[in-house]
Amino acid sequence: MSKILIIQTAFIGDAVLATALQEKIYATDPATEIHWLVRKGNETLWAGHPYVTKVWVWNKGKNKYTELYRLMQSIRKERYDRVINVQRFAATGWLTVFSGAKETIGFDKNPFSRFFTKRIPHLIGTEEKTMHETKRNQRLIAHFTDDMPARPRLYPTESDRQKIMPLCQKPYICIAPASVWFTKQFPPQQWVRLIKQLPKQFTVYLLGGPGDRKLCEQIIKESARENISNLCGVLNFLSSAALQKGAIMNYVNDSAPLHFASSMNAPVTAVYCSTLPAFGFGPLSDISHVVETTEKLSCRPCGLHGKVACPEKHFDCAATITTEQLLRVLPTTN
């Protein structure tokens, strides 16, 4: 039986997409013991997981490098057969090399990749030739699995399912209106316009973290809808994912809730403002839609990631998306 450590200490959406690696490894050899190293806060994604044995947690917010050194010493004692580093940053590259694993695998853009036993080119998709993040990551393990990536997957516990049960008594739509980056976030007033026109028979749930609660309260107030609830900070990651699974539709930005929906194969509509699905972070659900401007904007995309403000001051990549585009994807109802 082999023992593998997967390293992904980036943000929550990146961690969710990286779960495709554990799915592929497990499907290839169910006897493999799978461990993870993630940033503090993301460890709850694996609460009660059916086959992930251990989750190491790196607290980057407190004595970051002292904590990293402590982790390195503990991880080295595990004597891993393989360490798979999904990231391109020096700190995790250093940890990968120091792990003492028989095989160390990572992307060539990591500053310490020259010391890995296997280096994989990190490729970014284009509009002409797309490459999803799951495919990009699959290249790290293709030599002992195959070329076909698995889907990311989360495993809500029975407690998570029980928590959302009272919310699922009537048909509902979930909306996750917030994003860390301004240019990835569909503007609040446009969410309001959508909510006002959603069929009245659907309850609307607004999802997000505690920091998103104020934004959602503003949206609720301006939409003046009766059957709408602000669940920001009320549900944990796995409960939110379980709720998305049962939704008629999930409306999301190019952000973590999109990947939660993909991990549950939940119906999803992803709104892209400044970024493009071609970068590799598009929806993976069987029922999935991409909504973006139909205008040919010379400034779009303005970067691989979101920005704190529109560089051109107009934010037309969001402003020119219509409510009709969003309503069009809803399943027809009697």
Side-chain angles (χ1 to χ4, degrees), residues 37 60 322:
L37 170 62
K60 295 184 177 184
T322 68

Side-chain angles (χ1 to χ4, degrees), residues 159-173:
S159 174
D160 296 313
R161 288 187 286 271
Q162 290 293 327
K163 186 170 185 178
I164 67 163
M165 192 172 293
L167 304 173
C168 303
Q169 303 306 306
K170 295 180 179 180
Y172 61 91
I173 291 170

Side-chain angles (χ1 to χ4, degrees), residues 192-205:
V192 169
R193 286 201 289 268
L194 170 64
I195 291 168
K196 283 183 174 181
Q197 295 190 47
L198 288 174
K200 297 301 182 184
Q201 69 266 32
F202 297 134
T203 301
V204 176
Y205 295 125

Side-chain angles (χ1 to χ4, degrees), residues 60-301:
K60 295 184 177 184
K62 184 178 181 182
N63 300 319
K64 178 177 179 179
Y65 292 107
T66 301
E67 179 72 2
L68 179 64
Y69 181 69
R70 182 190 66 77
L71 278 169
M72 288 170 62
Q73 292 181 311
S74 298
I75 285 171
R76 189 176 178 88
K77 293 176 183 177
E78 291 282 342
R79 303 176 66 86
Y80 287 105
D81 296 289
R82 287 188 173 104
V83 170
I84 302 161
N85 187 351
V86 187
Q87 291 185 273
R88 292 162 284 144
F89 302 111
T92 56
W94 182 31
L95 187 150
T96 300
V97 174
F98 189 81
S99 70
K102 297 174 186 176
E103 184 175 45
T104 51
I105 311 164
F107 289 117
D108 59 354
K109 291 183 181 178
N110 191 293
F112 283 89
S113 66
R114 71 186 69 180
F115 304 110
F116 297 170
T117 61
K118 196 167 188 65
R119 304 170 68 199
I120 303 298
H122 186 270
L123 307 175
I124 298 293
T126 64
E127 288 189 82
E128 294 74 29
K129 188 176 181 180
T130 63
M131 177 177 287
H132 199 275
E133 175 78 349
T134 54
K135 176 66 174 178
R136 191 158 42 234
N137 290 344
Q138 177 62 25
R139 291 161 54 85
L140 296 170
I141 63 171
H143 64 289
F144 67 92
T145 58
D146 58 38
D147 293 331
M148 185 63 64
R151 285 186 179 182
R153 186 174 177 187
L154 295 178
Y155 292 80
T157 64
E158 181 59 28
S159 174
D160 296 313
R161 288 187 286 271
Q162 290 293 327
K163 186 170 185 178
I164 67 163
M165 192 172 293
L167 304 173
C168 303
Q169 303 306 306
K170 295 180 179 180
Y172 61 91
I173 291 170
C174 293
I175 299 176
S179 173
V180 172
W181 299 104
F182 174 85
T183 61
K184 279 189 173 185
Q185 180 174 294
F186 198 49
Q189 65 271 21
Q190 286 173 264
W191 286 123
V192 169
R193 286 201 289 268
L194 170 64
I195 291 168
K196 283 183 174 181
Q197 295 190 47
L198 288 174
K200 297 301 182 184
Q201 69 266 32
F202 297 134
T203 301
V204 176
Y205 295 125
L206 302 185
L207 303 180
D212 304 323
R213 191 163 185 84
K214 184 176 180 180
L215 168 67
C216 290
E217 287 297 335
Q218 173 195 343
I219 290 172
I220 289 174
K221 181 178 179 181
E222 293 182 14
S223 68
R225 189 183 181 97
E226 293 183 1
N227 55 343
I228 186 170
S229 296
N230 185 352
L231 299 181
C232 293
V234 175
L235 302 178
N236 63 26
F237 292 146
L238 293 180
S239 296
S240 294
L243 186 66
Q244 285 184 306
K245 177 64 176 176
I248 296 296
M249 182 54 65
N250 294 280
Y251 288 100
V252 297
N253 297 298
D254 175 16
S255 57
L258 164 58
H259 310 311
F260 277 61
S262 290
S263 74
M264 300 300 294
N265 197 21
V268 63
T269 297
V271 183
Y272 284 80
C273 299
S274 69
T275 54
L276 303 175
F279 291 158
F281 300 93
L284 295 170
S285 299
D286 291 342
I287 301 173
S288 59
H289 308 273
V290 168
V291 170
E292 54 192 334
T293 181
T294 58
E295 303 287 331
K296 298 295 183 183
L297 301 175
S298 61
C299 56
R300 181 177 185 261

